[in-house]
Amino acid sequence: MRSGVGVLCLLLSSGVLAGPSPLSWDDFDRAGAQISSGLSKFGEDMERGISQGVNTIADGFDKFEDKMSDGYAQLEDSIQKGYDKFEDEMTDRLDSWGINQEGVRSVEQRFQNSLQDVQDAIQNQAQIISKVEMPDMNQIRTHMRESLTPLINYNSFTPNFGFNSWINRYARKWWEGENVCVTREELEDEDIAGISVDASINLAMQISKCEERFDVYTCQYALMVDGERKAYRTTYSCCRGFKMDENKECKEFDIRPVEETIASLDGADFLAFLSEENLVGDLKNSTIFLPDSSAIDKFRKEIETALMPNENDNYMTYNVDSGLLRKKRDLGLVISEEVAMRDMLLGHVSSKIFNLNDVSNNEMIPMKSGGKVRMTVYNTYPKRTVLANCALVTSKDHHTETSTIHVVDRIIKPTTRTIGEILSDDVQFRTFVSHLEKNELDSLKSENGTFTVFAPSESAFEDLDELWREKIGLGKSCSAHILSTHILPTVVCSGVIAGRVQVTNNVGERIELRRDEEGRLFVEDRELIVKDVVAKNGVIHVIDSLILPKSAKTVTENIKERNGQKFLDLMAKANLMEKLSELKDFTLLMPSAKALKEMDESVLLSLSENPDQLEQIMLHHILPKSNEKSTITRRTSMQNSLAGKKHHINHNTVSCARLQSRSCGKVCSGSVVEVDRLLIPPGSSILQILESSSEHSKFLELLEKTKLSEEIVDGHFTVFAPTNQAFDQLEGNLKSRLLGGNLDEIRKVLQQHIIPDIVCCSSAPYSGMFPLTHFTRGHRSLSGHTIMMTRGYEGHVQANGTPIDRCDTIAVNGLLHSVNKVMLPRYMQQPSRRPNLWDPFNIGSFSGKYF
């Protein structure tokens, strides 16, 4: 402003502005007054607008609350009237159908219960909304006024004044500004979530994901170049020598020599340690993990007992766990890793220069000590949390003339052994190690992998009650299951835990980690008495008691809870109880108590009298693979049972037995799923079943005549087999065309009856009781046409409108349904003229009925 006045005075004195109407200071005063007046009016208008806006919002909330209350009352009344009217009409309809009064009362009760559920839900929602605290309008007014104060403060002309700040804010992102460096890298063998590139297109690009963090912006995309897919990542960050400031701009900062920068970061003591070992020269052209002042203070206190002469060498050694030594001795724990002071210090220095945004999770950084540091990255918001060997990085990217410094909250502990080696070499974990499965212990000893182990000490096992001690001591499935609960397939350091965190362990279950107000850490309410023992392949936390999951039940205990004593009796008669207790990684398909109760006692008796047959049947209920219910999905899969027979799994059915439980019952090393029937292993193929059935001889004859019988041998198929009577009911012309006509035409008709998939009657969806509620599920037949499966409200299953007389005859290569009509292609059908009261507009015809 002063320089501007100086120029103006110079112009006036030199006569440049001289003339008939020269500018005067009065002109400037008048202009200033006009600007001040305009700004005052702008402030008053803004204040008035804020008040009006807040009042409008308050009125809107009041009206919303009143209308919600009235709406809920009207909705509840409307539903009540609708249910009453529907109930009356339904009662009349049931009476006209001849259903007895007991059935009517049953339906009435069901509707009454349904109505009550709806009313309860409405009242619950109303209570929830009534408890919602409406915003304080005065507080909103204050916040809006405070946020706009810089805009209406016309006494100072700051760079943030007026609309220029808004324009700058939205016109350009920080990564599009100055002093931003861009790096592009090709991703090797890495999938990008949500991207799909057509290999038939020579060149295509699709952005998969762009993500903005505090000081880094990344985008991933893929290209198809000459039919080859390539993936890339572009990263935007402040260039070296620049840092993100509070205005989200990359601003230059003073770059100094590495020693000065370390000193300015309270690292003078650490620098002194390096100087004593003649290692200051190693700081150049490197990345340094600098322990903060509290870590150095702790290190100084530990050094008195941690430094001790080594009998075999002329240098000093440092016990990196000495700070926990006294506490561990009290607990009988001795976890130690002795290392030379020189190697410990060089374990903080890497010859690789990098910013923290450049590292990825589980990346191993080579250090000048010869070892490696594992970087663990957690995508917390708004900034990533990064740890180096479980030392939390508290300040990053301090650039010096030759190096980069990251500040950490502790001394970085060197790693020379794997988790398995550390635990195996320590007698205080011998029980834990002895009960681990050999393959699991081998993986913990391998350097390839990432694990977190919550290792219970010997005293933890001694504190177990008799029941749990027996489960673990038997060394069977429960022992492996319980101990695998203590292992995570990823690295979780204590520094990342704030509040409550859930993680998934090796048995696929969620366990909770939490930090209390005093900073203590717990896993499933077991305190971590020793934290962050870093190994080459992960980290160990020591706990004072075992994690005992709810799923740590034997399969026998779970069956008894499901009232499956009769099933256990059959297992005992088949001499399979011992095998049942030793099962690992399995799924037990248990017939429900209702299914077993409804079975004919004579059938159960005959099975009991034939132990060999009973054994095969019971083994057919066991899959040698643990399944979640979600894995028994729409896609057809096949799994062999322990009886060596195939199970067809599809649409929440296993060999056409419907799943009864809403979820799988987790047990030791496996799961239990209830089904609605006893599963008998199939012994015949589809063709063998047809050959043994006299009522399907004509269908079999046509299959052989058209060679289709040879095409349904391998694979899995569903066959809708028309009976001989179905062929006899055909009209003369159609009958002659099928039984003695063109083979190609006959083949097309037969292909209409075969689906190259497993389609059970038990998976057919229910149709609604009213018009326009015709639910179907379509399946493509060998002819290319769709067969629509549906279940009427009375329970009968139909395929393209053709009733299925006998459902779900299981074969080794699929299943067979017996139908009483030949399902003709559309061009051979004669549309039905009989009216359908449930489908008056013939909507069902569009769902595949005539296809």
Side-chain angles (χ1 to χ4, degrees):
M1 183 65 74
R2 290 176 181 175
S3 62
V5 172
V7 171
L8 182 62
C9 292
L10 179 63
L11 293 173
L12 289 172
S13 62
S14 61
V16 173
L17 295 181
S21 300
L23 290 173
S24 66
W25 292 112
D26 291 338
D27 295 326
F28 280 98
D29 290 339
R30 282 193 296 272
Q34 291 176 357
I35 293 173
S36 177
S37 175
L39 289 174
S40 298
K41 187 175 185 304
F42 171 75
E44 293 171 358
D45 292 342
M46 184 66 74
E47 181 72 16
R48 186 162 51 252
I50 291 173
S51 298
Q52 292 175 355
V54 169
N55 292 333
T56 302
I57 292 173
D59 293 341
F61 273 117
D62 292 339
K63 292 179 181 178
F64 171 76
E65 189 173 5
D66 292 340
K67 289 185 177 180
M68 283 296 295
S69 179
D70 295 341
Y72 269 115
Q74 293 174 7
L75 175 62
E76 190 170 353
D77 183 60
S78 175
I79 291 176
Q80 177 69 59
K81 290 179 181 178
Y83 264 94
D84 291 342
K85 182 178 179 181
F86 177 77
E87 186 177 350
D88 293 339
E89 293 179 354
M90 196 65 200
T91 301
D92 294 340
R93 178 64 61 85
L94 292 172
D95 287 337
S96 68
W97 290 343
I99 297 179
N100 57 33
Q101 286 300 314
E102 184 178 351
V104 173
R105 284 194 297 272
S106 175
V107 173
E108 289 177 349
Q109 184 61 43
R110 290 176 64 182
F111 280 120
Q112 192 64 35
N113 293 341
S114 177
L115 174 61
Q116 187 62 47
D117 290 342
V118 173
Q119 290 175 332
D120 292 343
I122 291 174
Q123 292 174 2
N124 289 337
Q125 288 296 110
Q127 291 176 3
I128 291 173
I129 289 182
S130 67
K131 294 178 182 178
V132 173
E133 296 183 3
M134 292 298 178
D136 186 345
M137 293 298 111
N138 292 327
Q139 190 176 17
I140 290 178
R141 180 184 290 109
T142 301
H143 288 329
M144 292 178 69
R145 183 184 295 111
E146 289 177 352
S147 65
L148 290 169
T149 296
L151 299 180
I152 59 177
N153 184 8
Y154 48 82
N155 293 320
S156 61
F157 294 91
T158 67
N160 290 329
F161 171 75
F163 296 99
N164 288 333
S165 62
W166 295 349
I167 294 173
N168 290 335
R169 179 179 180 184
Y170 294 106
R172 188 177 65 176
K173 303 298 183 181
W174 69 263
W175 57 87
E176 298 172 346
E178 298 177 348
N179 308 318
V180 175
C181 288
V182 183
T183 59
R184 291 181 176 87
E185 57 180 324
E186 184 174 350
L187 306 177
E188 297 181 359
D189 299 326
E190 185 172 342
D191 292 330
I192 302 178
I195 197 164
S196 175
V197 182
D198 188 351
S200 65
I201 302 176
N202 184 49
L203 179 62
M205 183 179 76
Q206 296 184 1
I207 295 297
S208 169
K209 184 176 67 172
C210 290
E211 182 180 20
E212 179 183 3
R213 295 280 176 171
F214 173 72
D215 55 357
V216 63
Y217 181 73
T218 59
C219 275
Q220 299 181 75
Y221 59 94
L223 295 172
M224 287 300 300
V225 180
D226 295 329
E228 181 182 358
R229 179 186 183 277
K230 293 186 177 181
Y232 298 90
R233 179 190 292 121
T234 302
T235 304
Y236 303 80
S237 59
C238 294
C239 296
R240 183 174 179 81
F242 295 84
K243 269 193 173 183
M244 182 76 68
D245 66 4
E246 58 186 12
N247 295 322
K248 302 213 74 173
E249 294 180 357
C250 293
K251 293 295 186 181
E252 186 175 9
F253 64 93
D254 185 24
I255 295 182
R256 292 175 289 176
V258 61
E259 296 92 334
E260 291 184 24
T261 305
I262 290 178
S264 69
L265 295 171
D266 293 332
D269 290 337
F270 186 74
L271 196 60
F273 286 130
L274 292 167
S275 179
E276 291 176 5
E277 296 290 334
N278 297 318
L279 297 176
V280 175
D282 289 276
L283 299 178
K284 294 183 179 180
N285 301 316
S286 61
T287 295
I288 304 157
F289 292 100
L290 174 66
D292 61 21
S293 57
S294 62
I296 296 296
D297 292 340
K298 183 178 179 181
F299 180 76
R300 280 189 172 279
K301 293 177 182 178
E302 296 173 359
I303 202 102
E304 296 177 1
T305 56
L307 282 173
M308 43 195 172
N310 191 299
E311 297 178 357
N312 301 320
D313 299 289
N314 295 322
Y315 52 75
M316 307 298 285
T317 62
Y318 168 62
N319 185 323
V320 298
D321 286 318
S322 61
L324 298 169
L325 187 61
R326 183 168 60 83
K327 183 175 182 180
K328 289 185 220 171
R329 283 175 179 166
D330 295 339
L331 297 166
L333 299 175
V334 182
I335 304 176
S336 62
E337 185 80 34
E338 292 187 356
V339 64
M341 174 67 79
R342 178 184 180 87
D343 290 338
M344 189 275 295
L345 294 173
L346 288 178
H348 293 74
V349 184
S350 173
S351 56
K352 177 181 178 181
I353 302 177
F354 59 89
N355 288 335
L356 215 61
N357 289 328
D358 299 330
V359 302
S360 56
N361 189 37
N362 288 321
E363 182 177 349
M364 303 298 291
I365 303 296
M367 310 304 288
K368 291 190 175 182
S369 63
K372 292 183 179 181
V373 166
R374 180 186 299 276
M375 305 299 296
T376 47
V377 181
Y378 304 93
N379 288 318
T380 51
Y381 187 83
K383 297 181 181 180
R384 299 194 311 172
T385 301
V386 183
L387 299 98
N389 273 16
C390 286
L392 179 65
V393 178
T394 57
S395 180
K396 65 174 185 175
D397 300 343
H398 298 278
H399 297 155
T400 72
E401 291 178 348
T402 60
S403 304
T404 300
I405 300 173
H406 309 298
V407 180
V408 293
D409 69 345
R410 68 184 71 176
I411 297 292
I412 292 180
K413 301 176 182 180
T415 59
T416 60
R417 296 183 293 171
T418 64
I419 291 175
E421 291 169 342
I422 293 173
L423 296 176
S424 298
D425 293 344
D426 197 317
V427 295
Q428 287 300 317
F429 301 105
R430 62 178 181 270
T431 303
F432 178 66
V433 172
S434 65
H435 286 93
L436 284 174
E437 292 287 307
K438 183 181 183 303
N439 59 343
E440 196 151 42
L441 183 59
D442 288 342
S443 65
L444 292 178
K445 289 184 177 181
S446 171
E447 295 186 16
N448 298 322
T450 55
F451 303 96
T452 297
V453 177
F454 300 99
S457 63
E458 288 298 292
S459 61
F461 286 91
E462 294 170 0
D463 293 339
L464 288 174
D465 60 32
E466 191 64 31
L467 176 62
W468 286 104
R469 195 176 300 175
E470 180 181 354
K471 282 186 178 182
I472 295 176
L474 290 175
K476 295 183 180 179
S477 58
C478 264
S479 175
H481 180 87
I482 293 170
L483 298 186
S484 294
T485 302
H486 294 71
I487 303 174
L488 310 181
T490 185
V491 176
V492 178
C493 299
S494 63
V496 77
I497 302 171
R500 296 178 183 271
V501 179
Q502 283 196 335
V503 292
T504 303
N505 59 26
N506 268 11
V507 297
E509 296 179 351
R510 307 284 288 178
I511 60 176
E512 183 182 78
L513 297 166
R514 67 177 176 89
R515 185 186 296 272
D516 67 8
E517 295 178 354
E518 298 176 0
R520 296 178 301 174
L521 293 176
F522 298 84
V523 53
E524 291 293 303
D525 295 326
R526 277 76 173 170
E527 185 176 2
L528 276 61
I529 56 176
V530 178
K531 303 180 289 292
D532 299 335
V533 180
V534 182
K536 285 185 175 181
N537 57 347
V539 63
I540 302 170
H541 307 294
V542 183
I543 54 178
D544 57 0
S545 60
L546 270 79
I547 301 171
L548 303 174
K550 294 180 180 179
S551 61
K553 296 178 181 178
T554 64
V555 63
T556 303
E557 290 174 331
N558 189 278
I559 292 174
K560 288 180 178 178
E561 289 179 359
R562 296 171 182 266
N563 299 319
Q565 186 59 50
K566 186 175 288 189
F567 184 75
L568 284 178
D569 293 340
L570 292 174
M571 279 286 184
K573 290 177 182 178
N575 299 317
L576 292 175
M577 291 302 293
E578 183 69 20
K579 189 177 189 68
L580 197 63
S581 65
E582 296 175 350
L583 289 174
K584 295 177 182 178
D585 192 24
F586 69 96
T587 300
L588 179 69
L589 305 169
M590 192 194 90
S592 65
K594 179 182 178 182
L596 291 174
K597 183 178 180 180
E598 293 176 351
M599 281 191 65
D600 192 336
E601 289 294 334
S602 62
V603 175
L604 295 176
L605 181 61
S606 64
L607 291 176
S608 302
E609 294 174 350
N610 190 338
D612 293 337
Q613 182 185 8
L614 180 60
E615 180 183 8
Q616 291 301 304
I617 291 175
M618 302 311 290
L619 289 175
H620 194 54
H621 289 76
I622 304 174
L623 302 176
K625 176 184 176 182
S626 183
N627 289 271
E628 295 290 340
K629 186 182 177 185
S630 59
T631 63
I632 306 176
T633 59
R634 295 183 180 274
R635 291 188 176 275
T636 298
S637 63
M638 298 176 67
Q639 293 185 28
N640 283 331
S641 69
L642 291 187
K645 302 292 184 179
K646 287 183 173 62
H647 275 298
H648 304 97
I649 300 176
N650 193 13
H651 288 296
N652 289 322
T653 64
V654 179
S655 292
C656 293
R658 287 193 66 82
L659 305 188
Q660 297 297 290
S661 52
R662 293 188 177 181
S663 60
C664 290
K666 296 287 290 184
V667 296
C668 293
S669 299
S671 53
V672 177
V673 183
E674 283 190 32
V675 293
D676 66 354
R677 69 192 68 174
L678 190 71
L679 300 171
I680 307 297
S684 304
S685 66
I686 292 174
L687 290 177
Q688 289 171 336
I689 294 174
L690 289 173
E691 288 170 356
S692 63
S693 173
S694 59
E695 63 177 339
H696 297 95
S697 59
K698 292 182 179 179
F699 179 67
L700 177 61
E701 180 183 349
L702 292 177
L703 285 176
E704 294 173 342
K705 190 175 181 179
T706 58
K707 305 294 185 181
L708 273 175
S709 57
E710 300 174 5
E711 298 179 18
I712 59 174
V713 174
D714 298 323
H716 43 269
F717 302 90
T718 298
V719 176
F720 299 87
T723 61
N724 294 339
Q725 184 181 2
F727 285 101
D728 293 338
Q729 290 175 350
L730 291 172
E731 296 182 2
N733 183 33
L734 284 176
K735 185 175 181 180
S736 61
R737 288 171 65 182
L738 285 180
L739 299 182
N742 185 283
L743 286 181
D744 289 338
E745 188 172 49
I746 297 173
R747 182 182 177 87
K748 290 180 181 178
V749 173
L750 297 183
Q751 286 177 330
Q752 178 80 359
H753 294 73
I754 303 173
I755 297 175
D757 199 353
I758 301 300
V759 181
C760 301
C761 286
S762 53
S763 65
Y766 279 91
S767 275
M769 297 179 62
F770 306 100
L772 307 181
T773 58
H774 189 60
F775 301 112
T776 61
R777 178 173 289 141
H779 307 273
R780 189 74 66 182
S781 68
L782 290 181
S783 67
H785 296 137
T786 302
I787 294 180
M788 306 303 296
M789 297 285 289
T790 186
R791 183 189 302 274
Y793 63 89
E794 75 286 354
H796 297 157
V797 179
Q798 295 183 345
N800 280 6
T802 300
I804 299 177
D805 290 342
R806 288 198 306 276
C807 283
D808 302 342
T809 302
I810 307 296
V812 293
N813 61 335
L815 60 106
L816 185 143
H817 306 302
S818 180
V819 294
N820 62 2
K821 284 186 180 180
V822 179
M823 296 191 295
L824 300 172
R826 184 177 184 181
Y827 71 91
M828 298 178 69
Q829 286 188 7
Q830 294 181 0
S832 174
R833 297 180 180 178
R834 184 176 61 183
N836 184 351
L837 296 178
W838 299 105
D839 190 7
F841 302 107
N842 203 25
I843 299 299
S845 63
F846 294 101
S847 63
K849 184 175 181 180
Y850 298 116
F851 285 81

